[in-house]
Amino acid sequence: MFDLQKTEICSFRGGIHPPYNKELTNAVPVREAKEPAVVTIPMSLHIGAPCKPVVKKGDTVLMGQMVGEATGFVSSPVHASVSGTVKAVEERPHPNGNNVLSVVIESDGKDTVDPSIKPYEDFTSYSSKEIIDIIKNAGIVGMGGATFPTHVKLTVSPDKHVDTVILNGAECEPYLTADDHLMQDSPERVVKGLQIAMRALNVQKGVIAIETNKPEAIQAVSKAAEGLQGIEVQKLATKYPQGAEKQLITAVTGREVPAGGLPADAGVVVMNVGTANQVALTFETGMPLISRYVTCTGDAVKSPCTMKVKVGTPYQEVIDQCGGFSQPAAKVISGGPMMGVAMQRTDVPVMKGTSGILCLSKEAAYIPQPSACIRCGRCASVCPIHLQPFLISAFAQKKRWDRCEEFHALDCIECGSCSYICPAKRTIVSSIRVGKRQVQAERKKRAVKNNG
């Protein structure tokens, strides 16, 4: 049996310890969400090129049927999460704040599965390319929130040498417990998904990295991985942003991803545990990615919990199934409080990357008025990238984009640790975010000019 007391705990330099507030949901059993009456499937459920609808108004669709085809290499098909009738193919509100072309399906309540969906053979009978194609066709993307197409991540350039796959089970964002529950509920699938990814990449080492504030998940996954060659479970210190890709790689392997580089430059591919679970589920059942665990929590929700939710279900329905608002919600955030995005409305659909819906009261969402920087340097001491956030922020406010670039603004991962620790309550990360966008814009201008 895995001994929590005897194994080494890995971490990285910097980081913060915000109130985690996971006790709101981590001991509450996962529930299956009620069947949505209507789902809205956006053609952009991922990073990359939007999909092209392959159904039209009035069509009958089956659960798991493709309703939007990928339109490029960095793209991923989307599928019906219910069976029923297509009511519209039109622009609908999207969590990104824009209106996005979507397929709206009225459920018939039967969940009739597309007959073409069948379990796959044992994954060892497939080649690397075949595995990647199966993952691609199933519309699997990063379920930690990034939604980067998984088949692209597993297609490593021939000039890179990857020798390790890391599963990210850190879930360092406060409030969220979706991955924690998933690892406890389906540890065998998480491990199987890792094995499939290792075969796709032809690597011999896999690591499942989990923060120490999830002891039950560590025990469950360790038991599932026991005796499997090349797979180990690594404890991580409970610290934010432990789950950030570069910090995770450094903590587990000691390697540094170079500035502007990718994990493959450090010989590593990182996947979320939810993504690995979905990969294994697809091989087991043939079903594409149409549902996921979502933590609905915060002090403005009556009964916080984690639920298994169909993609396309409106946020408001998820909130209502948690008892609705216990008091007026001053802010509803998609994801966690550190890197999540505040929502303008709650009729937007659950996405493939929606790990949480955080509802905060006016008191919990209160942001103090900022005062002048006292140059204490605390932001620099916690920055996981070892930047000088106070300087970059100051240059951004003065629109000195050249100086922002000089001080490596583009390396900022926007984790928000600097803003959290700032005693003057300055919105440092917001300024840096503006600086990054402007630096990128300036680079594009220079490229256009240089290319005539």
Side-chain angles (χ1 to χ4, degrees):
M1 183 62 72
F2 190 81
D3 190 337
L4 285 171
Q5 306 301 319
K6 292 185 178 179
T7 53
E8 181 186 1
I9 299 174
C10 294
S11 189
F12 63 97
R13 200 185 82 183
I16 57 175
H17 297 279
Y20 287 101
N21 295 314
K22 293 179 184 282
E23 68 281 0
L24 291 173
T25 56
N26 63 3
V28 181
V30 174
R31 289 194 281 130
E32 188 98 19
K34 294 177 183 175
E35 180 76 9
V38 176
V39 294
T40 301
I41 311 293
M43 294 298 100
S44 290
L45 281 170
H46 51 271
I47 286 179
C51 290
K52 176 184 175 184
V54 294
V55 294
K56 62 183 184 304
K57 183 179 178 179
D59 283 356
T60 298
V61 295
L62 301 175
M63 188 167 75
Q65 178 182 333
M66 185 174 72
V67 297
E69 64 182 7
T71 57
F73 178 60
V74 185
S75 185
S76 185
V78 295
H79 303 79
S81 56
V82 297
S83 61
T85 304
V86 176
K87 304 302 292 183
V89 180
E90 61 188 22
E91 289 193 346
R92 289 291 181 100
H94 188 280
N96 67 11
N98 299 316
N99 287 331
V100 170
L101 186 61
S102 305
V103 173
V104 183
I105 305 170
E106 184 177 66
S107 173
D108 59 12
K110 298 176 181 177
D111 277 356
T112 306
V113 177
D114 186 333
S116 68
I117 294 175
K118 299 183 185 306
Y120 290 94
E121 303 294 328
D122 186 273
F123 75 91
T124 57
S125 64
Y126 296 100
S127 68
S128 171
K129 183 180 184 306
E130 288 170 334
I131 289 173
I132 292 172
D133 284 344
I134 290 170
I135 290 171
K136 177 182 179 181
N137 294 334
I140 299 175
V141 301
M143 296 178 72
T147 66
F148 191 75
T150 303
H151 70 274
V152 179
K153 183 170 281 192
L154 296 177
T155 307
V156 178
S157 173
D159 62 337
K160 312 289 185 190
H161 175 66
V162 170
D163 59 14
T164 305
V165 179
I166 299 176
L167 289 194
N168 186 352
E171 198 171 46
C172 59
E173 271 273 4
Y175 286 97
L176 304 185
T177 60
D179 288 348
D180 187 3
H181 279 293
L182 179 70
M183 288 186 284
Q184 294 181 56
D185 292 350
S186 304
E188 292 82 9
R189 278 204 189 116
V190 171
V191 173
K192 180 69 74 177
L194 173 58
Q195 290 179 300
I196 295 171
M198 290 167 64
R199 180 171 178 82
L201 289 162
N202 193 29
V203 305
Q204 306 304 313
K205 183 176 181 180
V207 181
I208 306 169
I210 309 171
E211 281 193 343
T212 52
N213 63 353
K214 303 170 186 64
E216 293 87 0
I218 293 174
Q219 291 286 8
V221 173
S222 298
K223 184 178 179 182
E226 199 167 20
L228 296 178
Q229 190 172 10
I231 294 180
E232 60 185 73
V233 176
Q234 175 61 60
K235 287 192 303 180
L236 301 168
T238 299
K239 183 166 63 171
Y240 179 85
Q242 184 68 82
E245 205 167 53
K246 291 182 178 179
Q247 285 60 51
L248 184 64
I249 290 170
T250 300
V252 173
T253 68
R255 302 172 189 170
E256 295 276 352
V257 178
L262 297 171
D265 294 313
V268 179
V269 164
V270 179
M271 289 172 56
N272 178 263
V273 290
T275 311
N277 175 76
Q278 180 60 48
V279 168
L281 182 64
T282 293
F283 273 79
E284 183 182 318
T285 66
M287 187 60 73
L289 172 47
I290 60 168
S291 64
R292 62 158 300 135
Y293 277 16
V294 178
T295 301
C296 183
T297 185
D299 68 338
V301 172
K302 283 185 182 175
S303 303
C305 75
T306 293
M307 290 194 288
K308 186 178 180 184
V309 182
K310 293 279 184 69
V311 170
T313 303
Y315 276 34
Q316 188 61 53
E317 282 192 26
V318 179
I319 296 168
D320 290 343
Q321 291 184 51
C322 290
F325 293 124
S326 58
Q327 56 183 307
K331 186 177 284 187
V332 175
I333 298 171
S334 180
M338 300 302 295
M339 297 186 76
V341 178
M343 295 289 99
Q344 301 173 4
R345 51 200 299 168
T346 55
D347 59 350
V348 294
V350 167
M351 309 280 285
K352 292 178 179 179
T354 305
S355 54
I357 301 172
L358 176 59
C359 306
L360 299 177
S361 67
K362 184 177 179 181
E363 181 182 10
Y366 173 70
I367 299 175
Q369 284 296 314
S371 55
C373 175
I374 59 174
R375 300 180 75 84
C376 64
R378 290 188 191 179
C379 57
S381 68
V382 301
C383 178
I385 306 295
H386 317 315
L387 302 175
Q388 298 183 68
F390 66 103
L391 285 177
I392 302 173
S393 172
F395 289 135
Q397 290 175 340
K398 293 179 180 177
K399 299 184 179 181
R400 291 293 306 275
W401 316 129
D402 56 334
R403 298 288 278 166
C404 288
E405 184 170 15
E406 184 182 338
F407 280 81
H408 308 287
L410 293 183
D411 288 338
C412 173
I413 61 172
E414 302 179 20
C415 68
S417 296
C418 50
S419 296
Y420 175 84
I421 204 70
C422 178
K425 304 304 177 187
R426 300 184 65 77
T427 54
I428 301 172
V429 70
S430 299
S431 302
I432 295 176
R433 196 174 287 133
V434 171
K436 286 178 65 176
R437 305 294 179 269
Q438 289 298 327
V439 169
Q440 289 168 331
E442 293 297 320
R443 282 190 174 186
K444 286 181 181 176
K445 285 181 187 176
R446 289 201 297 268
V448 170
K449 185 177 179 180
N450 293 337
N451 292 329

